[in-house]
Every structure is written in C-alpha cells, then in structure tokens.
Amino acid sequence: MNRIYFMVYNLNYGYNYFSYALGSGLLVMIVIVPILTMKSFAEERHNKSDQLLLTSPVSVTKIVLGKYLAMISILGIACVIFMIFPVIIRMLGTAHFLIDYLTILMFFLIGSVYIAIGMFLSSTTESQIIAAVGTMAVLLLLYFWSTLTNYLPSGTFANLMMVLILFALVALALQSYLQNWKFTSLIYAVFALGTIIVYFVTKTSFESLLTNILSSFDLTAVLTDLVDSNLLNIPNVFLLLSLIVAFNYLTIQVIQKRRWS
C-alpha cells in the first residue's frame, strides 16, 4: 500500500520527501497490525496448545519476546524495502535522506508500539476476532488521538471530575490485578483527596488540564512533526520506547498469571 502512496505523492505529484507517502501509510497499519497480532496468543489459548508453552522450560519472558521479535521482524523487512524509495527519488531529482530515513525509523517504532498493543490484547482473550477488533479500535483511537483530545471540555470543574473518573478507572484496573479492595480503595482515596486539595488551592491549573496532558501522548506526533516541520520530537521517541517496554511487560504478566493459575 505504501508503494501506491509513493507513486501518488512522489512520482505523480512530484514531492521529493518520501515522508509524505510514509505518513499516509499509518492508516494501513491499523488494518494490518490486528491481522498480524490476533493469533499470537489468542489462538493458542483457544486450542489449549498454550499449555505446552506454559509447561516448557523456556521462561515466559523469552516466549513473549520471541513472538514479539518475530512480528516486528516482518515490519522491519517492510521498512528495509522502504529505504530504497528515497534512493529512487534521488535518481529522479532532489532527495532528503536524513528526514526520510528518520521517518522510516519513526514509522518502525510506531508500528512496534502497535504490535506490542495487539500482542497484549491477544494475550487477554482466546478469541481471535475479539483480539483483532479490540486492537483495531485501540489503534483507531490512537490515530485520531489529537483530534479527540481537542473535544475535551476546558472548564476547571469538568477537568476535576474527569481526573477523578480517570483515577477510578486506574483503581479498577489495579483491583482486577491485585484482587485487594482495601488497598486499591486506599490508593484511590489518597489520590482523589490530593487532587481535590490541589483543585481548591490552584483552581486555574485545572483549566484544559486533561487536554494538555493527553495531547502529549499523541503517538503519531513524532511522525507528523517530521513530515510537516522536519523536526524530530525526542520526548515522543522516548514515549514510543517506553510503551514498547510497558506493553511487553504487561503481556508477560498476563501470561505469567495464567501459568500459575
């Protein structure tokens, strides 16, 4: 599909940045990644063949990382092919190798995050359809993240309520893992009370608070900045790397819990 974008943007319209074509290719990954990751753990769980893995002498970490590296290798092969396109542009005119190759690298990192998310969701269910649809829904949410955050209310009280609801959701997620209502209730009460105190002390700091915070988690911003402004957003690069580690860790914890359950 990126070859089509390359033909349209670079060969037909004459743009000498391959990054334009690659930026449009993110939408394609929203379809491809769920298909790639939906079988990673869900199929084995459905067929009960995961018991062979869970009882093998290989550690859960190696199992998860082995599957993850296999999937990102497929993405890596595609990115290696993409590296040819700036050379083709150079043969036809002026090329911008630094920007284009940085864009390919960021495309690979974003795809690696998408794969980590898809693998995690696949580990939580035995249905491939649920894993695929769930992954596609999350990736669509991330794709339109910057647009959706702009629709959040800017009022101080509305932001206070949304922060409290967000804390409640985190507490519920923590409860589902720890199975300890007293501990999670105490954690939520401490954070909620602290938030309310800060609200009454510095109410103006809650103006558009969630919009400002959530906008910093726009995963596609690092690619957009390269395409539109030729700037590399270093904090976003660290965000992508952190999410790769985080979702691999969560997948390991899910499988580890099933191993001893």
Side-chain angles (χ1 to χ4, degrees), residues 60-73 119 248:
V60 173
T61 301
K62 290 181 180 179
I63 293 172
V64 172
L65 292 181
K67 287 178 175 290
Y68 179 69
L69 291 175
M71 288 185 287
I72 66 171
S73 295
M119 185 177 67
N248 273 282

Side-chain angles (χ1 to χ4, degrees), residues 39-82:
K39 289 186 177 182
S40 56
F41 285 102
E43 184 181 34
E44 291 186 355
R45 186 173 175 179
H46 177 72
N47 296 331
K48 308 301 181 184
S49 59
D50 60 333
Q51 300 300 321
L52 295 175
L53 288 176
L54 298 178
T55 56
S56 67
V58 182
S59 67
V60 173
T61 301
K62 290 181 180 179
I63 293 172
V64 172
L65 292 181
K67 287 178 175 290
Y68 179 69
L69 291 175
M71 288 185 287
I72 66 171
S73 295
I74 298 174
L75 174 64
I77 292 172
C79 289
V80 170
I81 296 174
F82 294 158

